[in-house]
Amino acid sequence: CYTQEGAQGAGSSNLALGTGSAADSMDLFINDGGVPSLGHRRWIFNPPYGPAGIGFAGNATCLYTFGMGGGGQAEWLAWPNPGFTPMEAVSPTWSWSSPSGVGSPTAKVTRLGDGADLPVTVEVLPYGYGPDTMAIHRTNWSAAAGQTYRVQISGSGTGGATYDVKPVTCP
C-alpha cells in the first residue's frame, strides 16, 4: 500500500501508534513523554502552523504538522498555558517558547497558596521544531488542581514573562 504521497505526508507529520482514538494521540503529542526535544508539542504550538490535517485508522494517527499557512505570531507560548488548564493536560514537563529566542533562560515557579518556590531545572531544547523552546522540568513536586502556580521567566530574547497556571479538575 506504499505511495509517494503517503510517505511524504508521514514524513511531515506527528505519528502515533497504539492509541484508542485521535484525541488520545493528541494528548500523547502534547505530553510528549520520553521525547527530550518535545518536538511533537513544539510543532503543534508553532505559531504559523496551519492548516492541520489528521487521520486515524485502527490504532494509528497521523497529524500533518508542517503546514505554514496560519500566519499567527506570538511573543511567547507556554505549556501549560496561562490561566485555567484541565488537570489531565498538565504534563510533567512544562515548556516556554519564543520566536525571539530563549537565550540563557531561568525559570522560577512559585505555588501562590503557600508562597513556596518549587524546584525546577531548565533545559534549552535543540533548534528545529518551531520556535526556540526551553523545557521546565519539575523536581519532586506535582501540580494540583485548585492551586495557582506563578511562572517567572527571565534571560530570554523577549526579556521574560510572568504568568499564572491554574490547574482545574473538569467534571
Side-chain angles (χ1 to χ4, degrees):
C1 296
Y2 176 88
T3 65
Q4 182 60 37
E5 293 83 7
Q8 222 173 346
S12 301
S13 300
N14 286 342
L15 304 173
L17 184 62
T19 58
S21 68
D24 290 345
S25 296
M26 291 301 294
D27 291 343
L28 194 67
F29 296 145
I30 299 301
N31 184 36
D32 233 356
V35 180
S37 68
L38 300 177
H40 299 97
R41 178 189 305 175
R42 292 166 65 189
W43 278 125
I44 293 169
F45 291 157
N46 190 13
Y49 173 46
I54 190 166
F56 180 79
N59 65 356
T61 302
C62 182
L63 173 68
Y64 182 72
T65 57
F66 283 26
M68 295 299 154
Q73 198 57 272
E75 187 176 352
W76 54 268
L77 299 158
W79 188 258
N81 58 280
F84 295 105
T85 301
M87 192 64 213
E88 297 79 12
V90 179
S91 58
T93 299
W94 296 10
S95 59
W96 190 86
S97 303
S98 173
S100 301
V102 294
S104 299
T106 61
K108 178 180 174 183
V109 178
T110 305
R111 186 174 46 230
L112 295 185
D114 61 4
D117 289 332
L118 304 171
V120 296
T121 58
V122 171
E123 175 186 9
V124 176
L125 299 176
Y127 177 78
Y129 300 90
D132 290 351
T133 301
M134 65 184 239
I136 304 167
H137 302 286
R138 298 180 295 174
T139 308
N140 298 320
W141 62 275
S142 296
Q147 293 286 337
T148 299
Y149 301 90
R150 174 147 304 145
V151 180
Q152 295 173 290
I153 307 295
S154 59
S156 75
T158 65
T162 299
Y163 59 96
D164 292 343
V165 174
K166 301 175 182 184
V168 295
T169 302
C170 298

